[in-house]
Amino acid sequence: MKGIVLAGGTGSRLFPLTKITNKHLLPIYDRPMIYYPIQTLVDAGIRDIMIVTGGRNSGDFLRLLANGKEFGLKHINYTYQEGEGGIADALGLAEHFADGQKICVVLGDNIIEHDIREAAEKFQAQEAGAHILLKEVQDAERFGVAEVAGGRVVGIEEKPKRPKSNLAVTGVYMYDATVFDKIRTLVPSHRGELEITDVNNAYIEEGTMTFSYLQGWWTDAGTFESLLRAANLVAQSVIAKQSAVRV
């Protein structure tokens, strides 16, 4: 399985921090934001990784990450998203990289506490379809919200005013090769973007969507509040591990 980190966008919700840099290069405690999704893929056993980025500062990713040696990688692939076409549009740019294989996609501003290796292995054993990770949250209206019934995801609603559950769809998605065919059928939403929720609902409609519950904490880092929360959560985790080593 190949890994894809989506790190494009303008980061407008974090302006003026993003006036001179890409959102995914901002610090989360002691490391740049982009390090965390890459490490998520590496910890899941994925070594073939592509970064999808965009904007005026895309070259900074190459200067920062180079060939991925810091993560134990021999090579990192890069591609460029022009404009603001949405998550699904960015993912569509990685079709040539996926080359018919299954993929694990991580949004560049998603930070998680534990690894996703178990979920990745579960999807690898799955013949076809998709796999998402869900997490109970208190502010479900900020996310894509999954409705689960009979042990299956029966629908996902994007940022609903009245969520049908408190199960947020985290920014970790696993897809088979048909994902790119599904992306080609999408039409832009009212935001003018190709929505990843529409991709997920296409898998749900064909009955091939499975899911796991994400263990440990999870947060995005796309707003000032969540950026601070992510830094605090990572700091607490790092300090706790250092204390455990000293003991």
Side-chain angles (χ1 to χ4, degrees):
M1 185 157 60
K2 294 187 175 184
I4 300 168
V5 178
L6 301 183
T10 61
S12 58
R13 292 180 297 173
L14 287 172
F15 188 86
L17 299 183
T18 50
K19 188 174 182 179
I20 58 171
T21 191
N22 185 289
K23 172 180 73 174
H24 305 91
L25 300 176
L26 294 174
I28 302 292
Y29 188 52
D30 60 348
R31 296 192 294 172
M33 188 186 299
I34 189 68
Y35 276 41
Y36 296 92
I38 294 174
Q39 193 65 55
T40 292
L41 292 171
V42 170
D43 289 345
I46 297 170
R47 295 293 183 271
D48 200 355
I49 296 172
M50 169 172 275
I51 310 295
V52 181
T53 185
R56 295 172 298 176
N57 307 104
S58 57
D60 292 342
F61 285 87
L62 182 60
R63 291 199 299 132
L64 174 68
L65 301 171
N67 60 6
K69 181 179 179 181
E70 189 169 349
F71 299 91
L73 303 174
K74 294 182 179 179
H75 180 68
I76 290 181
N77 301 272
Y78 301 88
T79 194
Y80 185 84
Q81 180 187 23
E82 295 183 11
E84 281 281 292
I87 294 173
D89 175 69
L91 177 55
L93 298 173
E95 183 173 10
H96 66 288
F97 166 73
D99 194 26
Q101 296 187 40
K102 290 181 175 179
I103 55 174
C104 179
V105 183
V106 184
L107 300 187
D109 65 351
N110 271 231
I111 318 293
I112 64 175
E113 181 179 12
H114 300 314
D115 68 61
I116 59 168
R117 181 178 287 269
E118 185 176 343
E121 291 175 349
K122 180 179 178 180
F123 180 61
Q124 283 281 50
Q126 186 173 320
E127 184 175 348
H131 189 88
I132 54 177
L133 285 89
L134 306 180
K135 184 68 178 177
E136 290 188 5
V137 297
Q138 295 181 342
D139 52 350
E141 65 278 358
R142 289 184 56 226
F143 308 100
V145 177
E147 183 181 1
V148 176
R152 300 178 67 88
V153 179
V154 297
I156 299 173
E157 191 175 4
E158 183 66 21
K159 296 181 176 63
K161 293 182 179 179
R162 295 180 178 83
K164 295 179 180 178
S165 79
N166 63 346
L167 294 173
V169 179
T170 68
V172 180
Y173 318 99
M174 303 178 197
Y175 299 122
D176 67 7
T178 69
V179 65
F180 300 105
D181 295 325
K182 291 175 173 61
I183 290 173
R184 279 188 282 272
T185 69
L186 300 182
V187 295
S189 68
H190 67 279
R191 300 193 300 173
E193 299 182 354
L194 301 184
E195 303 287 353
I196 200 68
T197 291
D198 291 337
V199 173
N200 291 332
N201 278 324
Y203 278 105
I204 292 170
E205 289 173 8
E206 69 180 24
T208 59
M209 173 66 77
T210 61
F211 73 96
S212 298
Y213 291 109
L214 183 66
Q215 303 301 311
W217 53 256
W218 159 76
T219 184
D220 68 335
T223 65
F224 290 115
E225 294 79 12
S226 59
L227 183 68
L228 176 61
R229 179 167 62 248
N232 287 335
L233 288 169
V234 170
Q236 291 168 9
S237 180
V238 170
I239 292 170
K241 290 178 182 178
Q242 291 174 342
S243 298
V245 170
R246 287 195 293 268
V247 171

